[in-house]
């Protein structure tokens, strides 16, 4: 490592021009030391645009006191940035996850500075992007300046997940624990959803699952399956016990046989320790992992994602409630499309039947005005709630509406049936 590259977080501040666009490493690889220094010296910055998808931590650059210094451009909206989007201090840019690297590359979203986290280099001078390869690798390739927090605690995760130390313009040596994600509590509703999903999953399938209580409940219901594979945008702790029991062995995957393929991971230290130097787990850039043409190569592929509302036609909104941008498309459409294109593929949208402490039905005659359609009615195979499974593929509009009313919460079924009669 050339010593002139080594700097402190405070030194990094003079490398960030105002105005400029910076991209931060993703999720559990959010580069905390530089962000903290930027916040402390916010007066040095005017109109610095901070681009990322998920970030863990307080995202203080989105707080009201940062107005004029930083502006967040969200490619996905998480819990820590939602309020800033609501207050219009941050903006959401719609995009499929698999296309994010192309935005950096083709001039749609050029980057001045990438601030990322990497592991220590190996004997060949290669550093691993560790738990987040996703768009982070592309950001480091496309930015004018690359600043890397070289974190001693970043695991070495295999895959097309490395960068040579000479490609890092500046290095900040660090030693801090990665951000962890607490497991969401699993209740009766999630358990029932998990069991319905289980009935749609067959031995030998390759699965994609997202984050949260529903994916974890699905995984918990799979202990009697055999020869499952994982090809997923992200993995979390839910996969660990199935790997240890041999249910997930990736033996029948037609490509990347024997390996779990993902583009990032987020969970506990236990997960990160398990992934460290483990040849069974590989992370690859999101433009490869999430590309529907790659996903479709897996015969028997099953995608499982969640949503906020489904209307009678089967249109799925996973990202906004009316004009309120709650989340983002993320990889949902990448996987729904890939699963639909795969031979014997199935896409499942799984959600509790109600929201807001059972005050609202998630199955509605019409999406709220302003809600974005994330997954179109043409793409959805199955919708699952705690009350069962609605198969939408091959069904007419009125058949879809009836199938969806059958899995709505009983207390909303009369109201939905009245709306059905006035429509059909
Ligand atoms: N109307 C009003 N409020 C609603 C609602 C609706 N139709 N649906 C959900 N909500 C509220 C819930 O009550 C909850 O509020 P609370 O926190 O005050 O209880 C909140 O919105 C979150 O809903 P919930 O369904 O619990 O969220 P989740 O953490 O399970 O995430 C998605 C669900 C849809 C936001 C999430 O799956 C997502 O972001 N999907 C898009 C990206 C994607 O699919 N990526 C691929 C896999 S990683």
């Amino acid at each position: 490592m050339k010593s002139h590259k080594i700097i402190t977080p405070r030194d990094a501040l003079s490398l960030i021009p105002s105005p400029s666009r910076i991209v931060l490493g993703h999720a559990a690889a959010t580069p905390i030391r530089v962000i903290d220094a930027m916040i402390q010296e916010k007066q040095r910055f005017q109109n610095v645009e901070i681009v990322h998808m998920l970030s863990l931590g307080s995202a203080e650059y989105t707080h009201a006191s940062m107005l004029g210094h930083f502006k967040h451009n969200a490619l996905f909206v998480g819990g820590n940035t939602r309020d800033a989007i609501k207050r219009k201090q941050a903006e959401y840019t719609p995009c499929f996850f698999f296309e994010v690297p192309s935005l950096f590359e083709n001039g749609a979203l050029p980057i001045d500075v990438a601030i990322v986290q990497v592991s220590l280099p190996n004997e060949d001078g290669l550093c691993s992007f560790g738990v987040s390869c996703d768009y982070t690798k592309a950001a480091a390739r496309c930015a004018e300046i690359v600043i890397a927090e070289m974190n001693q605690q970043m695991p070495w995760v295999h895959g097309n997940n490395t960068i040579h130390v000479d490609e890092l313009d500046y290095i900040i040596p660090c030693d801090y624990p990665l951000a962890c994600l607490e497991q969401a509590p699993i209740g009766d509703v999630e358990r029932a959803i998990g069991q319905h999903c289980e009935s749609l999953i067959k031995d030998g399938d390759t699965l994609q699952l997202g984050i949260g209580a529903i994916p974890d409940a699905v995984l918990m219901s799979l202990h009697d399956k055999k020869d499952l594979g994982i090809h997923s945008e992200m993995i979390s702790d839910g996969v660990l016990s199935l790997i240890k029991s041999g249910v997930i062995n990736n033996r029948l995957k037609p490509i990347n046989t024997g390996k779990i393929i993902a583009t990032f991971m987020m969970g506990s230290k236990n997960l990160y320790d398990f992934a460290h130097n483990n040849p069974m787990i590989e992370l690859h850039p999101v433009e490869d992992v999430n590309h529907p043409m790659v996903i479709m190569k897996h015969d028997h592929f099953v995608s499982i994602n969640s949503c906020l509302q489904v209307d009678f036609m089967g249109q799925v909104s996973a990202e906004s409630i009316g004009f309120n941008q709650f989340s983002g498309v993320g990889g949902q459409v990448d996987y729904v499309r890939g699963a639909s294109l795969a031979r014997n593929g199935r896409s499942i949208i799984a959600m509790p039947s109600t929201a807001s402490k059972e005050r609202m039905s998630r199955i509605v005659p019409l999406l709220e005005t302003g809600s974005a359609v994330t997954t179109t009615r043409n793409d959805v195979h199955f919708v699952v709630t705690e009350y069962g499974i609605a198969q939408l593929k091959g069904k007419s509009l009125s058949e879809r509406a009836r199938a969806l009313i059958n899995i709505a919460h009983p207390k909303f079924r009369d109201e939905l049936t009245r709306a059905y009669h006035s429509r059909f």
Side-chain angles (χ1 to χ4, degrees), residues 233 305 307-309 318 321 326-329 332 355-356 360 362:
E233 166 178 319
N305 291 290
C307 76
L308 302 168
Q309 280 188 331
I321 304 166
F326 184 84
S327 172
V329 60
Q332 179 165 129
S356 304
M360 342 194 33
R362 296 199 196 216

Side-chain angles (χ1 to χ4, degrees), residues 6-259:
I6 294 185
I7 59 170
T8 65
R10 199 157 185 278
D11 296 335
L13 304 186
S14 58
L15 301 167
I16 303 169
S18 292
S20 62
R21 175 179 291 130
I22 67 177
V23 171
L24 300 185
H26 186 224
T30 304
I32 287 163
R33 293 287 178 261
V34 179
I35 296 172
D36 286 349
M38 288 167 68
I39 300 298
Q40 271 165 27
E41 301 208 20
K42 64 176 183 187
Q43 68 288 347
R44 292 173 67 157
F45 302 100
Q46 317 305 323
N47 288 323
V48 170
E49 181 182 324
I50 300 181
V51 179
H52 60 76
M53 290 184 74
L54 267 179
S55 71
L56 294 182
S58 61
E60 215 176 315
Y61 44 86
T62 64
H63 293 183
S65 58
M66 301 292 154
L67 193 64
H69 301 295
F70 305 112
K71 177 165 173 100
H72 174 43
N73 180 353
L75 307 183
F76 187 88
V77 181
N80 58 358
T81 55
R82 202 163 284 144
D83 180 57
I85 297 277
K86 225 176 190 170
R87 288 185 283 105
K88 312 225 171 351
Q89 191 173 334
E91 281 218 71
Y92 172 66
T93 298
C95 52
F96 299 121
F97 197 176
F98 90 91
E99 69 173 351
V100 171
S102 73
L103 302 180
F104 301 154
E105 225 145 30
N106 67 16
L109 208 60
I111 313 170
D112 298 304
V113 184
I115 308 172
V116 302
Q117 254 196 78
V118 296
S119 73
L120 298 181
N122 68 7
E123 61 280 9
D124 297 322
L126 293 171
C127 303
S128 172
F129 284 101
V131 295
S132 270
C133 183
D134 44 67
Y135 64 74
T136 309
K137 181 162 175 153
R141 186 171 67 242
C142 299
E144 296 289 325
I145 298 174
V146 182
I147 301 170
E149 294 189 0
M150 187 175 276
N151 188 352
Q152 291 203 38
Q153 299 190 42
M154 177 60 85
W156 181 281
V157 185
H158 289 276
N160 178 7
N161 191 27
T162 55
I163 184 165
H164 196 276
V165 74
D166 288 344
E167 293 172 81
L168 305 171
D169 296 311
Y170 298 94
I171 291 165
I172 301 170
C174 298
D175 184 3
Y176 63 86
L178 296 195
C180 292
L181 186 75
E182 275 182 29
Q183 277 190 280
I186 296 175
D188 291 342
V189 168
E190 289 79 15
R191 256 188 293 278
I193 293 170
Q195 277 155 12
H196 293 307
C197 290
E198 183 272 338
S199 71
L200 296 170
I201 295 169
K202 301 187 180 83
D203 293 343
D205 283 344
T206 298
L207 310 179
Q208 171 259 332
L209 296 120
I211 327 167
I214 291 178
D216 285 348
V218 174
L219 288 164
M220 277 169 58
S221 70
L222 299 179
H223 280 277
D224 293 329
K225 300 283 179 200
K226 292 191 190 66
D227 297 327
L228 297 179
I230 298 286
H231 179 102
S232 189
E233 166 178 319
M234 63 97 57
I235 53 169
S236 194
D237 288 67
V239 296
L240 291 180
S241 66
L242 292 176
I243 297 171
K244 286 175 185 160
S245 65
V247 171
I248 292 175
N249 59 22
N250 304 290
R251 190 174 74 82
L252 299 178
K253 281 174 82 175
I255 57 172
N256 301 304
T257 311
K259 304 221 181 254

Side-chain angles (χ1 to χ4, degrees), residues 280-318:
M280 185 192 190
I281 298 181
E282 289 189 5
L283 297 192
H284 291 262
V286 70
E287 61 271 36
D288 298 330
V289 177
N290 276 28
H291 200 296
M293 305 272 273
V294 173
I295 298 164
M296 70 177 274
K297 289 183 184 163
H298 301 80
D299 294 353
H300 310 278
F301 192 90
V302 183
S303 70
I304 304 169
N305 291 290
S306 196
C307 76
L308 302 168
Q309 280 188 331
V310 180
D311 73 9
F312 276 179
M313 294 186 282
Q315 301 193 107
V316 172
S317 182

